[in-house]
């Protein structure tokens, strides 16, 4: 190091780092996702506790909520036999932060004597997990719970949040479940019809709906092009998610 130069520490793991003290206050490994609340008060580490290459329903996740200022950590339960369809995000509802994602749930039945698996069926749902510690609740919603006019073959596809703390929900038509591929996990179909909903979770109301349109999925990206009408007439909308 020469005189006047600056020392930079290289962070190679998922950590919460105190810049003033130049030390880490929390470390977490094997994370699939890391999310932050908009005020950066909390960080959520989604770690993979158990991974199965052959059966996604055997994957086990743990959610660690870290208070960034002091590194205090607590664990939030994550439902078993549940896999992510889309990357998660965090939405603020009142004073409560909710961890949210589109997930596919595997419901299994077992033989009462042999305990062997007899059958399974799948559900695609919007998961909302309270991470503020105020209510300790988990909410599951199907597309039909949010949009009553959605047909039976409609499923959630992706979720984002906007600057107004509203959920931007993409849904697809003609989709029964997400197919598992060994090298990719749960994959989306290549050609799909989809729509978009802006949803107020706090007041349980739809603020905007862009109806079903046809789209093509390429290279893990979804490009949505449709039109909606407002007071100034129709406007083109392009929505993209990874």
């Amino acid at each position: 190091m020469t005189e006047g130069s600056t020392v930079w520490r290289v962070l190679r793991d998922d950590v919460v780092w105190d810049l003033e003290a130049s030390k880490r206050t929390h470390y977490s490994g094997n994370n699939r996702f890391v999310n932050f609340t908009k005020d950066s008060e909390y960080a959520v580490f989604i770690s993979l506790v158990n991974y199965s290459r052959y059966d996604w329903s055997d994957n086990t996740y743990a959610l660690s909520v870290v208070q960034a200022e002091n590194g205090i950590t607590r664990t939030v339960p994550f439902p078993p036999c549940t896999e992510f369809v889309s990357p998660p995000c965090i939405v603020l509802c009142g004073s409560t932060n909710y961890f949210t994602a589109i997930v596919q749930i595997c419901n299994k039945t077992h033989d009462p004597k042999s305990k062997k698996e007899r059958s399974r069926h799948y559900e695609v749902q919007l998961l909302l997990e309270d991470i503020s510690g105020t209510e300790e609740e988990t909410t599951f919603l199907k597309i039909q719970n949010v949009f009553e006019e959605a047909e039976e073959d409609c499923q959630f596809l992706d979720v984002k949040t906007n600057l107004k703390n509203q959920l931007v929900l993409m849904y697809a038509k003609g989709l029964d479940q997400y197919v598992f591929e060994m090298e990719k996990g749960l994959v989306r179909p290549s050609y799909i019809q989809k729509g978009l909903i802006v949803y107020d979770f706090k007041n349980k109301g739809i603020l905007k709906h862009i109806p079903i349109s046809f789209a093509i999925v390429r290279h893990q990206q979804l490009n949505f092009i449709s039109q909606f009408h407002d007071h100034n007439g129709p406007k083109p909308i392009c929505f993209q998610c990874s």
Side-chain angles (χ1 to χ4, degrees):
M1 182 180 70
T2 60
E3 184 178 354
S5 63
T6 302
V7 177
W8 291 91
R9 292 181 181 271
V10 179
L11 305 181
R12 303 185 185 278
D13 300 307
D14 292 322
V15 302
V16 176
W17 188 264
D18 187 331
L19 290 175
E20 293 183 358
S22 190
K23 66 177 183 179
R24 72 184 186 191
T25 59
H26 176 80
Y27 165 82
S28 181
N30 297 323
N31 294 304
R32 182 171 178 186
F33 303 106
V34 179
N35 292 97
F36 294 86
T37 56
K38 289 187 176 181
D39 58 6
S40 296
E41 182 179 359
Y42 296 99
V44 181
F45 294 82
I46 303 94
S47 57
L48 189 57
V49 178
N50 180 71
Y51 169 71
S52 173
R53 183 183 180 188
Y54 305 100
D55 186 353
W56 65 264
S57 69
D58 290 334
N59 293 347
T60 305
Y61 291 95
L63 268 62
S64 297
V65 181
V66 182
Q67 195 166 347
E69 183 177 355
N70 51 32
I72 295 177
T73 305
R74 63 185 180 85
T75 301
V76 176
F78 190 80
C81 300
T82 301
E83 183 56 83
F84 291 93
V85 171
S86 68
C89 57
I90 296 176
V91 61
L92 180 64
C93 182
S95 60
T96 303
N97 284 293
Y98 286 91
F99 173 86
T100 180
I102 306 302
V103 297
Q104 181 159 282
I105 303 168
C106 178
N107 297 300
K108 304 177 182 180
T109 59
H110 296 82
D111 185 274
K113 293 184 178 180
S114 65
K115 307 300 181 182
K116 292 183 178 180
E117 182 179 326
R118 298 174 60 179
S119 64
R120 59 172 63 183
H121 73 277
Y122 305 100
E123 294 181 316
V124 179
Q125 300 199 23
L126 170 67
L127 177 147
L128 292 134
E129 186 101 36
D130 175 12
I131 61 170
S132 295
T134 55
E135 298 181 11
E136 293 291 337
E137 65 173 355
T138 303
T139 301
F140 289 98
L141 296 173
K142 295 183 178 181
I143 177 61
Q144 290 79 13
N145 300 131
V146 173
F147 180 44
E148 294 182 355
E149 298 176 12
E151 299 179 23
E152 288 297 321
D153 63 345
C154 289
Q155 303 284 4
F156 281 124
L157 197 64
D158 204 351
V159 58
K160 304 290 182 185
T161 60
N162 61 18
L163 296 177
K164 297 181 179 180
N165 286 313
Q166 298 158 348
L167 294 175
V168 181
L169 301 167
M170 184 178 289
Y171 68 96
K173 179 177 173 58
L175 181 62
D176 179 40
Q177 66 185 46
Y178 290 93
V179 178
F180 174 77
E181 293 184 9
M182 188 177 297
E183 299 300 327
K184 298 179 180 179
L186 297 179
V187 296
R188 295 164 171 153
S190 298
Y191 298 89
I192 201 166
Q193 288 181 300
K194 58 185 179 175
L196 193 71
I197 291 172
V198 179
Y199 185 67
D200 184 349
F201 177 64
K202 181 178 181 180
N203 297 309
K204 305 296 187 293
I206 294 177
L207 303 175
K208 191 180 297 294
H209 176 224
I210 302 176
I212 288 286
S213 180
F214 186 74
I216 299 175
V217 182
R218 288 195 182 100
H219 307 300
Q220 301 300 316
Q221 290 188 333
L222 298 171
N223 298 297
F224 179 89
I225 300 176
S226 184
Q227 288 188 339
F228 72 94
H229 292 268
D230 63 9
H231 298 295
N232 299 317
K235 290 184 178 180
I237 291 294
C238 180
F239 185 86
Q240 177 173 303
C241 62
S242 57

